[in-house]
Amino acid sequence: QDEETQHSLECIQANQIFPRKQLIREDENLQVPFIELHGESTEYVGRAEDAIIALSNYRLHIKFKESVVNVPLQLIESVECRDIFQLHLTCKDCKVIRCQFSTFEQCQDWLKRLNNAIRPPSKIEDLFSFAYHAWCMEVYASEKEQHGDLCRPGEHVTSRFKNEVERMGFDMNNAWRISNINEKYKLCGSYPQEIIVPAWITDKELESVASFRSWKRIPAVVYRHQSNGAVISRCGQPEVSWWGWRNADDEHLVQSVAKACASDSRSNSNKLMNGNCSRDFSNGGDLSDVEFDSSISNASGAESLAIQPQKLLILDARSYAAAVANRAKGGGCECPEYYPNCEVVFMGMANIHSIRKSFQSLRLLCTQMPDPGNWLSALESTKWLQHLSVLLKSALLVVHAVDRDQRPVLVHCSDGWDRTPQIVALAKLLLDPYYRTTEGFQVLVETEWLDFGHKFADRCGHGENSDDLNERCPVFLQWLDCVHQLQRQFPCSFEFNEAFLVKLVQHTYSCLFGTFLCNNAKERGEKHTQERTCSVWSLLRAANKAFRNLLYSSQSESVLYPVCHVRNLMLWSAVYLPCSSPSTPADDTCAPYPVPGSSPEDQPLGRLPKTRSFDNLTTACDSSVPTTNRRSSDPSLNEKWQEHRRSLELSSLGNPGDDPFDGDSLSKQGRAPVGAELSVAAGVAEGQMENILQEATKDDVGLEEHLRGSVETVGKGDEIALDKEKRTENLHGYVSDV
């Protein structure tokens, strides 16, 4: 019956499953102002003031005489009418779009259309990624086998679990085993089907542990240090509650993780007794920078060569107060008395509600008129960089425990699908150079974020009937921001560049690809998203030179130790700060993979789209003109980066990820007119931001010389009294990309 059903589905054409909608023109002379993607159908075309506005089942397209705005519908968070004639669109990645209309009635009509278009889907098939894939399969019917390969992730992704177990060198004979207790997701719907546990832990014990852990998310090993055998595990919080419940099997499993590390045959020779390495970070989120540096710089003092289990570090991402408060809801934290040879650390990371509030404050700041005198204090008040700092500190503690102290680590927060993947994925990125390659980064995202059930549908707001705004939060975006911070500090350690990350931000929300649909792997399997949608890795593939960091060296540091202080972190201007004149795509027809019959490696690079635009929504795309027009802030050209990073003078440099692509898919028609009513986050003009930078650095001649290649100075303004250290270390990072 299944074969017959599958066969009958193959007989239905894409235009029957996803039919094109009838185009409604407000003016008969209007034409669709862009080339549609496969499966895309434009529903409305009309006129705004000095602009043509079009709405399809995938995007909102607004074309000025000299500029264009393209934004996927699922990237739009809200639409409202302001000043009677103006539409105000807020995007999920911090951008704001404004569009002026001639009449109130016209403005209201477009308000209703957009609100209907951006509403969460009633069924997942309403998302554009399904129509796009179906039409592509039909268009490329003669090349179906090749098309299927190109729109799928590579073998390194599909066989990631087996490959990772072999690559990290787990001793599967004595120390570890692969449990299939979650086969067909019968134990935990948000966990992968295969998990690594200590060899002597039985499935019956795992069932008992599942009953004690939040959402049955049991401790599972996800990383092994290839030199010393220390592992990283992750789980949900224990359900202690006010009654102080215990679970003997859970306590045994946690201790067994440390014992399995000690018995790992490949790392026994490197094992050292832990000694006095216990450290108290119960107020980790409130640690001063001096206290943090002092704490992680103390040596473990281990001298004995005896083979004994190291003291396991349980890193709780929450504050102690939050962990205790969770006991009222049936949660809680591990009691050290019941978990011998374990140390519990609380990092004080904020929950999703605080992160959402911080991001909204950041978005408001980035879309207002800049105030040079209050810019830094206003940025500080958003607490966005402070949240990044605490996340980096948490990951660095894991790195120190695993790499230096050779200690196993268990990471959890409340449910284990927000702060936990942030810490674990960031720690793995710091520990292992493989994850800093393009293929390795894809495996990292698939494993820690997708396999272990980060709720992308709820957090991004594109799930079925995901109307609950309290569930939305830019958790994955926050993690990508931390990756960007690492790229700035270690420009030679990543195979991919900033454009890779910016495109990943856009397509996390765009729903052009099916990679980030649903809340977990079980739902994606039930909806058959892998077979019915394209993978984002088909665009962000290793062979795509558009996203390759030319400074990358495979011989760079094996383990990264970043500076986590707030003063060394930079605002991600390529994502958060608007540009004063949106770029104009000349061609939106490019597919996220090469034309059938051609090799992915042979695709012309040409000039490529700017990362701070919504242009070229599918790809970073094709042309034959080489990328010669690069600025000194390009990470692939700035040779002084390594020297400055060594001296930790990072914050006085230009933005390493400043968009190096100036391309064929972007029209050079010039800047938007002064009277243009549409801009991406209008109000932050390029000249104004450059004036802020110039005023704040005019006294520092040396820095001004360094900036001359990357910032085009615009006149001289009045001097403002800013602390010199903050000027050189902070402000440039916030505005150097303009």
Side-chain angles (χ1 to χ4, degrees):
Q1 184 178 357
D2 291 340
E3 293 180 358
E4 294 177 358
T5 303
Q6 183 178 4
H7 180 73
S8 63
L9 286 176
E10 293 177 353
C11 300
I12 301 177
Q13 295 182 345
N15 59 7
Q16 294 176 300
I17 306 175
F18 303 101
R20 296 180 59 87
K21 297 184 179 180
Q22 184 176 1
L23 175 62
I24 298 177
R25 298 184 177 90
E26 293 182 353
D27 187 332
E28 291 298 327
N29 297 323
L30 292 176
Q31 301 296 326
V32 177
F34 58 89
I35 299 178
E36 298 172 336
L37 301 176
H38 297 308
E40 183 178 14
S41 61
T42 305
E43 301 178 36
Y44 301 98
V45 179
R47 293 189 186 276
E49 279 197 1
D50 300 324
I52 296 176
I53 180 171
L55 179 65
S56 73
N57 57 340
Y58 171 59
R59 78 181 90 186
L60 173 67
H61 178 101
I62 311 177
K63 182 178 181 180
F64 267 125
K65 295 178 180 178
E66 300 184 20
S67 64
V68 163
V69 168
N70 258 319
V71 55
L73 295 177
Q74 291 301 322
L75 197 59
I76 303 174
E77 184 170 60
S78 62
V79 184
E80 57 181 331
C81 183
R82 293 187 179 180
D83 301 329
I84 302 180
F85 302 129
Q86 186 184 79
L87 277 186
H88 184 94
L89 292 81
T90 302
C91 298
K92 297 174 182 177
D93 67 344
C94 212
K95 298 292 192 303
V96 169
I97 301 172
R98 296 184 177 93
C99 182
Q100 195 82 8
F101 290 91
S102 301
T103 65
F104 173 75
E105 291 76 13
Q106 189 184 25
C107 184
Q108 288 297 308
D109 287 341
W110 280 97
L111 176 64
K112 293 177 183 178
R113 292 167 183 170
L114 285 172
N115 276 325
N116 289 331
I118 68 173
R119 182 179 297 124
S122 57
K123 61 180 187 297
I124 194 171
E125 288 79 10
D126 292 338
L127 296 173
F128 179 70
S129 53
F130 291 91
Y132 178 62
H133 179 266
W135 279 77
C136 282
M137 291 297 290
E138 186 166 296
V139 170
Y140 294 99
S142 60
E143 304 283 348
K144 187 173 184 179
E145 182 176 350
Q146 183 188 26
H147 168 86
D149 292 339
L150 290 173
C151 72
R152 298 274 81 77
E155 190 274 338
H156 63 283
V157 172
T158 55
S159 303
R160 56 187 175 275
F161 182 79
K162 176 184 177 182
N163 294 342
E164 284 290 88
V165 171
E166 295 177 356
R167 186 186 68 83
M168 289 186 281
F170 281 95
D171 179 7
M172 303 310 261
N173 296 321
N174 304 303
W176 310 100
R177 74 178 181 93
I178 298 174
S179 173
N180 294 313
I181 190 174
N182 199 39
E183 185 178 7
K184 297 183 179 179
Y185 308 101
K186 60 185 179 182
L187 179 69
C188 175
S190 58
Y191 255 31
Q193 298 189 69
E194 296 177 303
I195 57 176
I196 300 176
V197 296
W200 49 87
I201 299 296
T202 65
D203 284 353
K204 185 177 181 180
E205 288 177 294
L206 293 179
E207 290 179 358
S208 174
V209 173
S211 66
F212 184 65
R213 290 283 171 172
S214 176
W215 297 100
K216 298 185 177 182
R217 296 172 67 87
I218 64 178
V221 177
V222 294
Y223 178 76
R224 177 188 181 273
H225 194 287
Q226 296 181 51
S227 298
N228 60 45
V231 301
I232 301 175
S233 306
R234 56 178 296 176
C235 61
Q237 66 179 337
E239 295 183 334
V240 178
S241 81
W242 283 125
W243 301 103
W245 300 118
R246 296 178 58 183
N247 184 290
D249 292 322
D250 185 79
E251 295 165 10
H252 181 221
L253 174 57
V254 172
Q255 296 175 55
S256 295
V257 171
K259 293 179 181 178
C261 289
S263 65
D264 193 323
S265 60
R266 300 188 183 184
S267 60
N268 275 347
S269 61
N270 296 326
K271 289 295 178 182
L272 298 175
M273 190 173 180
N274 185 43
N276 287 328
C277 62
S278 177
R279 297 190 298 274
D280 183 11
F281 290 119
S282 59
N283 294 316
D286 301 323
L287 282 179
S288 69
D289 294 334
V290 175
E291 291 172 332
F292 179 79
D293 291 336
S294 174
S295 300
I296 65 175
S297 63
N298 292 329
S300 65
E303 300 293 342
S304 173
L305 295 179
I307 300 174
Q308 295 185 11
Q310 296 282 54
K311 194 169 188 178
L312 183 140
L313 173 64
I314 300 178
L315 192 146
D316 193 325
R318 306 164 295 180
S319 65
Y320 176 74
V324 172
N326 267 272
R327 296 181 65 175
K329 298 185 291 184
C333 58
E334 293 82 359
C335 178
E337 296 178 4
Y338 305 148
Y339 292 84
N341 202 34
C342 294
E343 175 192 9
V344 182
V345 169
F346 299 93
M347 288 310 302
M349 291 178 60
N351 59 26
I352 61 170
H353 309 295
S354 298
I355 297 299
R356 179 176 61 250
K357 181 179 178 181
S358 175
F359 183 72
Q360 291 171 346
S361 299
L362 177 67
R363 179 166 55 198
L364 182 63
L365 172 65
C366 291
T367 57
Q368 288 179 337
M369 294 290 290
D371 183 355
N374 297 322
W375 169 258
L376 293 180
S377 60
L379 178 62
E380 182 182 15
S381 67
T382 68
K383 298 187 178 182
W384 182 255
L385 295 183
Q386 287 88 327
H387 292 313
L388 298 184
S389 177
V390 176
L391 174 52
L392 287 166
K393 287 180 181 180
S394 303
L396 192 56
L397 280 180
V398 176
V399 172
H400 272 273
V402 173
D403 181 58
R404 189 198 66 183
D405 299 335
Q406 305 180 18
R407 301 172 60 188
V409 179
L410 175 64
V411 182
H412 71 75
C413 49
S414 294
D415 298 317
W417 50 46
D418 289 317
R419 288 165 286 189
T420 298
Q422 285 182 327
I423 297 173
V424 173
L426 204 57
K428 291 172 69 172
L429 197 68
L430 294 172
L431 283 165
D432 199 329
Y434 171 69
Y435 297 121
R436 301 193 288 270
T437 66
T438 303
E439 289 189 354
F441 190 80
Q442 296 173 3
V443 171
L444 180 65
V445 172
E446 290 276 350
T447 301
E448 296 304 324
W449 290 93
L450 295 167
D451 289 348
F452 279 87
H454 175 64
K455 304 195 321 181
F456 278 100
D458 289 345
R459 297 294 180 259
C460 298
H462 54 233
E464 293 177 332
N465 302 309
S466 57
D467 297 301
D468 189 356
L469 298 181
N470 286 325
E471 284 291 311
R472 298 189 187 181
C473 181
V475 176
F476 188 62
L477 171 58
Q478 184 188 19
W479 180 75
L480 290 177
D481 197 334
C482 285
V483 178
H484 163 253
Q485 303 296 335
L486 297 179
Q487 279 189 332
R488 296 184 64 91
Q489 296 191 28
F490 304 94
C492 300
S493 298
F494 292 83
E495 185 180 19
F496 49 90
N497 57 20
E498 188 195 20
F500 178 98
L501 295 179
V502 175
K503 280 296 176 185
L504 189 54
V505 170
Q506 293 178 2
H507 291 303
T508 300
Y509 297 99
S510 72
C511 295
L512 177 63
F513 303 97
T515 306
F516 301 113
L517 300 184
C518 304
N519 282 324
N520 51 59
K522 179 182 179 181
E523 291 182 9
R524 283 185 286 273
E526 293 172 348
K527 301 295 185 180
H528 303 286
T529 59
Q530 184 173 350
E531 298 82 11
R532 301 165 65 195
T533 63
C534 296
S535 169
V536 71
W537 310 127
S538 62
L539 164 64
L540 304 175
R541 60 191 183 277
N544 194 334
K545 297 179 182 179
F547 304 118
R548 187 177 302 171
N549 175 20
L550 300 183
L551 272 184
Y552 171 67
S553 171
S554 59
Q555 305 302 317
S556 59
E557 300 94 332
S558 58
V559 180
L560 305 182
Y561 289 90
V563 182
C564 305
H565 306 157
V566 174
R567 63 175 176 268
N568 290 94
L569 304 181
M570 308 295 181
L571 187 68
W572 196 0
S573 53
V575 172
Y576 306 136
L577 289 182
C579 54
S580 58
S581 59
S583 310
T584 305
D587 183 9
D588 263 335
T589 61
C590 306
Y593 32 78
V595 176
S598 64
S599 171
E601 290 81 359
D602 298 335
Q603 292 302 301
L605 297 181
R607 297 174 299 167
L608 300 158
K610 293 184 178 180
T611 58
R612 281 185 295 161
S613 70
F614 300 117
D615 311 322
N616 212 348
L617 297 172
T618 60
T619 171
C621 183
D622 310 322
S623 170
S624 58
V625 185
T627 57
T628 57
N629 186 17
R630 296 172 180 256
R631 295 187 283 178
S632 63
S633 54
D634 184 348
S636 302
L637 296 180
N638 196 334
E639 298 177 355
K640 296 182 179 180
W641 261 101
Q642 191 70 8
E643 175 186 351
H644 282 273
R645 187 192 63 75
R646 295 295 184 190
S647 61
L648 296 180
E649 295 293 339
L650 300 170
S651 49
S652 65
L653 299 179
N655 187 347
D658 199 11
D659 179 22
F661 312 120
D662 196 5
D664 172 63
S665 62
L666 304 177
S667 171
K668 296 288 184 176
Q669 298 179 21
R671 302 291 184 186
V674 176
E677 297 296 337
L678 171 69
S679 67
V680 178
V684 184
E686 183 175 3
Q688 291 171 316
M689 298 303 291
E690 289 170 349
N691 272 326
I692 299 174
L693 177 62
Q694 183 186 10
E695 291 169 357
T697 59
K698 67 194 312 182
D699 293 334
D700 194 332
V701 178
L703 179 59
E704 193 170 36
E705 287 294 322
H706 180 79
L707 294 174
R708 192 164 292 166
S710 60
V711 178
E712 183 181 351
T713 58
V714 185
K716 292 185 177 181
D718 297 331
E719 291 188 3
I720 56 177
L722 290 177
D723 179 76
K724 184 176 181 179
E725 180 181 356
K726 287 186 178 179
R727 295 199 305 266
T728 58
E729 293 185 346
N730 287 327
L731 187 55
H732 181 270
Y734 306 146
V735 298
S736 61
D737 227 6
V738 180

